[in-house]
Amino acid sequence: MSGNDIDVALIDPILQEFKEQKGAVIPILQRTQDIYGYLPEDAMQEISKKSGISISQLYGVATFYAQFNLEPRGRHLIQICDGTACHVRGAPKLVEAVEGQYNLEAGGSDPDFQYTLEIVYCLGSCGLAPIALVDGQVYGNTTPDSLVENIKELD
Ligand code: FES
């Protein structure tokens, strides 16, 4: 369920553009996500209805590729590594600090969709543990206070 009203007419130009290209599922989904920030259920239904691509194929692709989101995401993406090295060096405290500061839970977003918090597992830089990424920027050897400060500086 989407629960959000979206203007599905915005998808028409995308479907028009890829009308002649069979199998253009990925670019259609990419462009749709560019519009809404994620792939709302209503948009998926609309794509299926107008393109003839089955809904199961659309969801198959959308769930296979990590680039696609089926839920709305915050403006900023905070990722905290909870691989073994980061875990023993304090990742749970980072998670706690971000959850407390922004009124969200790991795997979710705050009520205003400013921030989304994701837990990831080993980014391959264990020497910098614990690590967080904020909008793709790496913060190594971070502490709860410094991470919260770095996030505050975003706006
Ligand atoms: S465990 Fe976090 S970078 Fe390896």
Side-chain angles (χ1 to χ4, degrees):
M1 55 167 207
S2 68
N4 297 315
D5 288 332
I6 59 155
D7 181 2
V8 291
L10 298 174
I11 301 168
D12 286 346
I14 301 172
L15 296 176
Q16 200 59 28
E17 185 181 336
F18 292 100
K19 172 167 90 181
E20 307 297 336
Q21 296 180 39
K22 285 240 170 298
V25 180
I26 292 175
I28 290 172
L29 294 180
Q30 283 170 331
R31 299 278 297 278
T32 303
Q33 183 164 283
D34 286 346
I35 293 174
Y36 304 107
Y38 71 112
L39 296 172
E41 184 184 341
D42 289 351
M44 298 292 263
Q45 296 288 356
E46 184 75 2
I47 294 168
S48 179
K49 193 171 80 187
K50 293 200 169 154
S51 69
I53 302 167
S54 74
I55 196 78
S56 61
Q57 188 184 353
L58 291 175
Y59 276 105
V61 171
T63 52
F64 182 79
Y65 292 99
Q67 64 178 294
F68 295 119
N69 309 306
L70 294 170
E71 298 291 333
R73 307 235 302 184
R75 239 166 22 98
H76 298 292
L77 176 62
I78 304 158
Q79 295 168 298
I80 295 175
C81 178
D82 197 27
T84 307
C86 290
H87 185 88
V88 298
R89 299 199 60 187
K93 294 252 181 266
L94 301 180
V95 173
E96 234 171 69
V98 171
E99 286 180 335
Q101 182 76 28
Y102 296 106
N103 186 23
L104 48 70
E105 283 182 16
S109 304
D110 67 305
D112 298 329
F113 289 100
Q114 294 300 302
Y115 305 99
T116 295
L117 174 60
E118 274 182 6
I119 307 300
V120 294
Y121 296 95
C122 197
L123 298 164
S125 304
C126 306
L128 296 175
I131 287 186
L133 275 103
V134 181
D135 293 340
Q137 165 136 10
V138 179
Y139 295 92
N141 295 313
T142 193
T143 63
D145 288 348
S146 68
L147 178 58
V148 167
E149 274 312 305
N150 286 321
I151 296 168
K152 275 187 190 158
E153 285 167 13
L154 291 172
D155 290 313

